[in-house]
Amino acid sequence: MRAVVLSGPGPVENLAVTELPVPEPRPGWVRIAVKAFGLNRSELHTRLGLAVGVTFPRVPGIEAVGVVDAVDPADAASGLVPGQRAATMMGNMGREYDGGYAEFTLVPVGQVVPFDSELPWDVLGAVPETLQTAYGSLTTGLDLAAGQSFLVRGGTSALGFAATALAKDIGATVLATTRRPERADALRAQGVDHVLVDDGRIAPQVRELFPAGVDAALELVGTPTLPDTLAATRVHGTVCFTGMLSNEWTVPDFYPIGYLPNGVRLTAYGGEADDLPAAVLQGYLDKIADGTVRLGPVTTYRLDDIRQAHADMEEGRALGKLVGLTGR
């Protein structure tokens, strides 16, 4: 099979398309014929040497969609059968074992989520990990409800677009940020009610619209903007720290009383495949298919273009989700 192999931390040149043996199924694991895979900041962190627990060489990729290709007889009780469309994500894919940047991937049974959809593979490839993270952030992280005001810090990221789609479906009023004014129309097309151009300090803009602050906020940029996002949130409101577009995720010398505004709650979210119920994935795909939920922009790449894809991700040149297609 053809697969992308990362030889070690470093520049995009460390990514190379290579011929590898097709992985053999074994008890507790399922082989998937990969049709598409999403690209994520997690893989960028791995390539830059910022991830822990990674051994090299390694096939990157924390998610993939495709068709179940082989299931060990010992796992018949899982209900997975060859030919079933399925998504897989997380669970140390692309770190402790080979991930989704390949024509086949072998993953634990527990991180396979089956679905039925005739949507194109590039659309399907944009959904799993982004939906899992957005869904978990809005439910577990924020308990977002209809009628609430909701701020997305980092709105033009793939996760930002997905969070906006879910929040609008819930019935929230959405504010979203972008550092690039030319991307404001893309946010409005996604359903954002109030677009904010982010110059590093958006709390004053938010409080012009909502003087007491927003009910809930999703931090996707990282620790550099977190204090300002907290300042944009009302007393008894909640900020969920989920993303690290800035590649900065720690707060030096954290002193809670000095750092957190009085009464503002700070949570975090980072989930796994089993945090995305199959019914939620299926429902989201159905809503994309009937047009009631907007997926957001998707940029696709062939397997041979993986270096360009990583360069675009690192430089923020592409809007929304980046998806690789295996061509199988």
Side-chain angles (χ1 to χ4, degrees):
M1 69 172 186
R2 301 175 77 234
V4 175
V5 174
L6 176 62
S7 58
V12 294
E13 287 75 18
N14 286 12
L15 294 163
V17 178
T18 306
E19 291 285 341
L20 294 178
V22 175
E24 291 296 329
R26 60 183 188 269
W29 294 68
V30 175
R31 187 170 68 203
I32 294 176
V34 177
K35 303 295 185 180
F37 55 88
L39 282 84
N40 300 279
R41 300 289 294 188
S42 174
E43 293 117 42
L44 176 60
H45 294 160
T46 296
R47 181 173 63 77
L48 295 177
L50 302 175
V52 296
V54 185
T55 56
F56 299 98
R58 176 64 64 214
V59 176
I62 65 169
E63 65 173 320
V65 294
V67 177
V68 173
D69 183 68
V71 182
D72 191 278
D75 298 306
S78 69
L80 296 171
V81 295
Q84 169 69 58
R85 292 190 170 202
T88 182
M89 71 202 87
M90 313 299 285
N92 290 315
M93 280 182 71
R95 292 188 175 186
E96 294 183 3
Y97 54 89
D98 287 342
Y101 288 20
E103 293 181 326
F104 292 91
T105 188
L106 189 69
V107 297
V109 171
Q111 66 184 64
V112 179
V113 186
F115 64 83
D116 293 302
S117 177
E118 296 303 317
L119 287 167
W121 287 112
D122 60 332
V123 173
L124 295 169
V127 172
E129 193 278 337
T130 302
L131 174 62
Q132 184 274 129
T133 306
Y135 174 77
S137 297
L138 269 60
T139 55
T140 302
L142 292 170
D143 199 21
L144 190 68
Q148 289 189 317
S149 53
F150 171 57
L151 169 65
V152 185
R153 191 72 179 261
T156 57
S157 64
L159 184 51
F161 280 110
T164 292
L166 291 180
K168 294 299 294 183
D169 193 50
I170 289 170
T173 298
V174 178
L175 303 79
T177 70
T178 177
R179 293 175 300 165
R180 303 183 185 184
E182 67 273 15
R183 292 185 171 179
D185 287 344
L187 290 173
R188 295 188 185 99
Q190 186 69 0
V192 172
D193 299 288
H194 304 283
V195 176
L196 309 175
V197 177
D198 192 345
D199 61 0
R201 188 166 177 264
I202 60 154
Q205 297 181 59
V206 171
R207 289 184 179 271
E208 285 182 9
L209 297 165
F210 296 88
V214 293
D215 298 306
L218 181 61
E219 179 59 70
L220 300 180
V221 176
T223 55
T225 55
L226 180 58
D228 186 56
T229 300
L230 289 162
T233 306
R234 67 169 175 83
V235 173
H236 298 162
T238 304
V239 176
C240 181
F241 186 93
T242 296
M244 298 162 285
L245 294 169
S246 64
N247 294 340
E248 295 184 40
W249 51 86
T250 59
V251 178
D253 303 318
F254 178 62
Y255 174 50
I257 292 176
Y259 192 89
L260 298 172
N262 286 339
V264 177
R265 299 157 177 162
L266 176 62
T267 67
Y269 180 78
E272 294 289 347
D274 57 6
D275 293 309
L276 178 62
V280 172
L281 173 60
Q282 187 65 56
Y284 188 71
L285 294 176
D286 291 345
K287 288 181 178 182
I288 293 173
D290 67 23
T292 56
V293 165
R294 299 180 179 93
L295 176 64
V298 176
T299 303
T300 60
Y301 300 84
R302 300 176 304 152
L303 204 63
D304 291 319
D305 296 327
I306 194 65
R307 291 178 179 176
Q308 183 63 55
H310 258 248
D312 289 348
M313 177 166 56
E314 186 171 4
E315 298 299 326
R317 288 191 287 257
L319 187 64
K321 186 72 174 184
L322 283 62
V323 173
L325 299 173
T326 65
R328 289 195 58 80

